[in-house]
Amino acid sequence: LPAQLLQLAQDAEAELRLQRELLLQIQRFSRLRRQRTPKPPQKTPEPPAEEQQEEEEDVVIPVLVLACDRSSVRRCLDKLLRYRPSARRFPLIVSQDCGHAETAAVIASYGAAVAHIRQPDLSDIAVPPEHRKFQGYYRISRHYRWALGQVFRTFRYRAAIVVEDDLEVAPDFFEYFQAVLPLLRGDPSLWCASAWNDNGKEGLVDPGRAELLYRTDFFPGLGWLLLAELWDELEPKWPPAFWDDWMRQPEQRRGRSCVRPEVSRTMTFGRKGVSHGQFFDQYLKFIKLNDRFVPFTQLDLSYLKKDEYERFFLRQVYSAPEIKLEDLQKDSGRDLGPVRLQYRGRDSFKASAKALGLMDDLKSGVPRGGYRGVVSLVCRGRRVFLAPPSDWAGYDPSWS
């Protein structure tokens, strides 16, 4: 019996390798055919809705897992494989930096279930003397550039989900990204979708509204989707370090937004890292991971398109009655409608954010989770909009 089981496992692995090679051949043939086929002069009619849905379900979105020296990457990969609805539509690519043997062995133990690629350049990076203690951030940025280059240049995928090795995903992680991909493709005012809510601590979100999605001007990262077209834009100017804060600068964001959920679809278990646990003990370990499957692909997400979203979201914010912080903290809030807590400057925002338990730091003047300066949260069971005045004139980078 053990010999038969071993043979079955070997046969299954061989079949998976064969299917992957066939898929790559089909993709190569399709690209060649598209390149050789002249475009018709007239506009192609839109296919029926049923065909569009089938086409969206056939889209291949690889999950790129950035790994280094954490053998606990197994926790990340186990959840990805557990919740992945299709190996064909969501291939896993683990890109490893650092050359850490124990971590490499863990990744290799998954066999054909994941593709294991290795960053070839493990050399030290020359950094300014004042950045000597930030060498790790330079290595991370170099690794991101190489790994994303592999996904979009070598493997020629058209979209990718980026995950780091210390993230655990929710049951509807893949469902969420499959549903928001058409939004990114159809709305140039969106440049990413993230599974993360920076202010997603238990008590600050409504788990009963797990289907709720927002636009945000803050780049969240921590499990995010981007298109190949965005990489075409970012790759030539990719920074040597601190890539995530660089993404939050106005020069990169260019007025665009991301989609993010009310309840996070990722959580981090990586306290140790180059940031030495910054924010982990105070915020990150308390992020609530969604545990209820939401069928996002069956929902109408058109409300997230820019014009429609601004109409209903801003109306909801500025029609809510204004409340003072001390009154909000005294009120139980149960079964009461939304309210607005107004701030009028940087110090006012930070004081309110700290009092509410939010992350109060700003990047290029943008608050975490904010859209047009508004941060949505739950306080004592009540929806609260921490908002600037209605005549808001834009973000002020000097607030950072």
Side-chain angles (χ1 to χ4, degrees), residues 281-293:
D281 290 329
Q282 191 175 359
Y283 298 104
L284 304 184
K285 72 178 182 181
F286 300 111
I287 296 293
K288 176 170 177 56
L289 181 66
N290 181 60
D291 57 7
R292 178 169 67 85
F293 187 92

Side-chain angles (χ1 to χ4, degrees), residues 33-44:
R33 188 175 62 181
R34 284 197 297 271
Q35 291 168 1
R36 292 172 181 172
T37 304
K39 293 182 179 179
Q42 73 280 8
K43 183 179 177 181
T44 305

Side-chain angles (χ1 to χ4, degrees), residues 29-311:
F29 175 79
S30 297
R31 282 197 297 271
L32 286 171
R33 188 175 62 181
R34 284 197 297 271
Q35 291 168 1
R36 292 172 181 172
T37 304
K39 293 182 179 179
Q42 73 280 8
K43 183 179 177 181
T44 305
E46 288 290 327
E50 295 82 1
E51 292 183 21
Q52 284 184 321
Q53 185 176 353
E54 289 176 6
E55 183 180 336
E56 288 166 9
E57 289 176 351
D58 281 341
V59 171
V60 176
I61 316 174
V63 180
L64 172 65
V65 181
L66 279 294
C68 179
D69 58 357
R70 288 190 181 106
S71 57
S72 56
V73 67
R74 182 181 299 281
R75 180 173 170 182
C76 171
L77 294 176
D78 283 349
K79 283 296 175 69
L80 286 168
L81 289 168
R82 176 180 173 183
Y83 295 133
R84 182 174 66 170
S86 165
R88 181 185 63 79
R89 286 191 288 117
F90 297 101
L92 296 189
I93 303 170
V94 184
S95 179
Q96 187 189 0
D97 199 0
C98 310
H100 189 247
E102 185 181 351
T103 303
V106 169
I107 299 167
S109 70
Y110 288 87
V114 306
H116 185 187
I117 60 176
R118 294 171 174 82
Q119 151 75 302
D121 185 0
L122 304 181
S123 63
D124 287 338
I125 301 173
V127 303
E130 66 273 17
H131 278 191
R132 195 171 296 119
K133 65 179 180 179
F134 299 130
Q135 173 85 212
Y137 290 99
Y138 282 79
R139 289 178 176 272
I140 289 171
S141 192
R142 178 176 67 182
H143 185 200
Y144 262 85
R145 180 172 191 162
W146 180 82
L148 286 167
Q150 292 298 299
V151 167
F152 291 120
R153 302 285 175 253
T154 304
F155 304 142
R156 303 184 69 82
Y157 287 110
R158 302 308 303 161
I161 301 166
V162 182
V163 172
E164 294 188 6
D165 57 358
D166 61 346
L167 292 182
E168 185 174 317
V169 304
D172 55 359
F173 175 86
F174 293 96
E175 173 79 0
Y176 166 68
F177 281 119
Q178 183 178 328
V180 296
L181 177 62
L183 283 172
L184 259 66
R185 288 177 160 168
D187 186 348
S189 70
L190 290 172
W191 71 323
C192 84
S194 172
W196 178 258
N197 176 1
D198 279 284
N199 295 307
K201 291 196 299 184
E202 190 109 35
L204 293 180
V205 297
D206 183 353
R209 297 296 309 279
E211 77 285 355
L212 193 57
L213 304 179
Y214 297 85
R215 292 174 69 101
T216 176
D217 298 323
F218 191 89
F219 171 73
L222 293 177
W224 57 288
L225 170 69
L226 75 158
L227 303 181
E229 291 81 1
L230 180 60
W231 184 241
D232 291 341
E233 174 190 326
L234 298 178
E235 184 185 31
K237 56 178 182 175
W238 191 252
F242 312 109
W243 70 271
D244 48 352
D245 283 343
W246 174 84
M247 289 276 287
R248 293 162 183 150
Q249 294 172 357
E251 295 80 7
Q252 279 63 254
R253 191 170 69 82
R254 292 168 48 199
R256 293 172 293 190
S257 303
C258 294
V259 177
R260 62 97 173 165
E262 166 80 4
V263 186
S264 284
R265 266 59 187 188
T266 54
M267 62 165 284
T268 177
F269 54 84
R271 186 180 186 279
K272 294 181 180 179
V274 294
S275 65
H276 303 292
Q278 184 187 28
F279 298 133
F280 186 86
D281 290 329
Q282 191 175 359
Y283 298 104
L284 304 184
K285 72 178 182 181
F286 300 111
I287 296 293
K288 176 170 177 56
L289 181 66
N290 181 60
D291 57 7
R292 178 169 67 85
F293 187 92
V294 174
F296 282 111
T297 55
Q298 299 173 31
L299 302 181
D300 180 4
L301 303 182
S302 61
Y303 69 90
L304 290 163
K305 293 178 180 177
K306 187 175 191 296
D307 292 342
E308 187 172 344
Y309 188 81
E310 291 197 351
R311 274 195 302 272

